[in-house]
């Protein structure tokens, strides 16, 4: 197995904050079955289908422009419904089918989505923190044949789960619980909504699937093997994002930048409120 190339590159990068340091530390722990050259991935290459110059993969054609690890055999099927408002270019789930033929990503309410619903039978579990969801560590994984995940912002996820045509609410549900032996701190470069900023366990779709399959493998007494390969594109994109911020002296990292934006918004709202109160008092 090969360490992610950031194992060497990150040592030379000086993390400016705890969030950036956590991201680099996370990258250092990953092992892939092939070399993941983030430096080479900085270069754009032409998609073989669309001809568009892209980094890593083409989100339109879902074609990789970098060498891939051997496709993973997950031992179960994974169906991911992506909300239309979750842009394919921003989604962590878009390239997952390139890493395993057992994974299908389809857009909610599309024709492909409706066709995929017909395959949901016994052994299918919904991954969603509903009130009746049980911790994944308590699931009998020997009976699980398919996982269904929702790829969207949290405010849109319930609309997909409650879609009467999908009938996902009829499926047994699981969630990553506090005692499931996984690190539930996300390294996703897109921040959660501010109302949920301090809630642990808000992982990207790719991180969630990786954690679930790690837990499944441990529960069956097996080694985690090549499961890090599921994070192949996630890790490369994370490396590129952190590097771009490192190269900009005016910015720290995506997480600090978002926090600064939120503080500026709050400060502006406070000023506006004080001005309105002062105007009302003068009247």
């Amino acid at each position: 197995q090969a360490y992610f190339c950031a194992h060497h590159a990150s040592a030379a990068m000086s993390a400016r904050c705890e969030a950036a340091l956590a991201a680099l530390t996370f990258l250092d722990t990953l092992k892939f079955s092939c070399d993941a050259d983030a430096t080479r991935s900085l270069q754009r290459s032409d998609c073989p289908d669309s001809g568009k110059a892209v980094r890593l993969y083409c989100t339109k054609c879902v074609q990789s422009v970098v060498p891939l690890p051997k496709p993973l055999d997950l031992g179960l099927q994974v169906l991911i419904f992506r909300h239309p408002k979750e842009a394919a270019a921003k989604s962590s789930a878009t390239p997952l089918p390139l890493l395993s033929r057992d994974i299908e990503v389809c857009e909610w309410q599309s024709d492909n989505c409706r066709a995929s619903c017909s395959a949901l039978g016994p052994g299918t579990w919904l991954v969603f923190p509903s009130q009746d969801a049980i911790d994944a560590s308590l699931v009998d994984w020997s009976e699980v044949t398919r996982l269904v995940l929702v790829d969207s912002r949290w405010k849109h996820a319930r609309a997909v789960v409650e879609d009467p045509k999908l009938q996902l609410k009829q499926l047994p549900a699981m969630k990553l619980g506090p005692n499931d032996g996984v690190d539930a701190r996300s390294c996703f470069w897109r921040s959660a909504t501010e109302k949920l900023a301090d809630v642990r366990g808000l992982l990207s779709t790719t991180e969630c699937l990786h954690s679930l399959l790690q837990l499944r493998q441990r529960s069956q007494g097996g080694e985690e093997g090549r499961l890090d390969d599921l994070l192949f594109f996630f890790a490369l994109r994370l490396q590129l994002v952190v590097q771009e911020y490192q190269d900009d002296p005016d910015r720290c990292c995506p997480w600090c930048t978002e926090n600064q934006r939120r503080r500026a918004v709050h400060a502006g709202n406070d000023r506006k409120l004080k001005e309105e109160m002062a105007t009302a008092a003068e009247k």
Side-chain angles (χ1 to χ4, degrees), residues 50-262:
S50 69
K52 181 180 178 182
V54 298
R55 286 181 180 175
L56 305 182
Y57 60 92
C58 177
T59 57
K60 179 180 180 180
C61 308
V62 195
Q63 289 277 2
S64 176
V65 295
V66 297
L68 294 173
K70 181 181 177 180
L72 280 166
D73 180 1
L74 300 181
L76 49 69
Q77 299 296 305
V78 178
L79 177 59
I80 300 174
F81 292 111
R82 180 175 58 81
H83 195 284
K85 292 186 177 180
E86 182 71 9
K90 295 183 177 181
S91 168
S92 71
T94 298
L96 286 177
L98 293 171
L99 302 172
S100 174
R101 300 184 183 94
D102 295 326
I103 301 176
E104 178 185 0
V105 179
C106 62
E107 184 175 297
W108 177 49
Q109 295 183 326
S110 67
D111 291 338
N112 289 339
C113 168
R114 286 186 281 272
S116 299
C117 290
S118 61
L120 303 182
T124 300
W125 282 71
L126 173 66
V127 180
F128 190 76
S130 55
Q131 289 186 345
D132 59 347
I134 66 173
D135 289 355
S137 58
L138 302 178
V139 172
D140 182 356
W141 284 96
S142 65
E143 297 182 358
V144 179
T145 59
R146 185 186 300 269
L147 295 176
V148 177
L149 294 89
V150 176
D151 186 45
S152 75
R153 286 288 198 179
W154 278 105
K155 63 181 179 181
H156 299 136
R158 192 166 295 279
V160 180
V161 172
E162 296 181 351
D163 184 344
K165 294 181 180 179
L166 297 184
Q167 296 186 337
L168 297 182
K169 292 183 69 176
Q170 307 302 317
L171 298 174
M174 71 171 76
K175 62 183 179 180
L176 285 170
N179 300 316
D180 283 344
V182 297
D183 183 4
R185 180 64 69 181
S186 176
C187 285
F188 198 26
W189 47 93
R190 295 172 61 194
S191 300
T193 181
E194 190 170 8
K195 293 180 180 179
L196 301 173
D198 296 326
V199 178
R200 293 184 65 85
L202 300 183
L203 306 178
S204 68
T205 303
T206 296
E207 291 172 298
C208 177
L209 179 60
H210 177 256
S211 295
L212 282 170
L213 294 179
Q214 280 185 319
L215 190 151
R216 170 180 176 265
Q217 209 152 34
R218 287 195 297 268
S219 72
Q220 295 178 336
E223 297 181 358
E224 294 179 8
R226 295 178 47 226
L227 284 178
D228 279 357
D229 280 354
L230 275 180
L231 297 173
F232 181 79
F233 284 110
F234 183 91
L236 285 174
R237 289 187 67 186
L238 177 59
Q239 169 70 6
L240 295 179
V241 169
V242 172
Q243 184 65 60
E244 287 176 353
Y245 277 82
Q246 290 278 344
D247 294 341
D248 187 343
D250 297 325
R251 298 190 299 173
C252 176
C253 71
W255 306 281
C256 288
T257 299
E258 176 60 18
N259 288 336
Q260 291 171 355
R261 185 196 68 81
R262 290 173 176 177

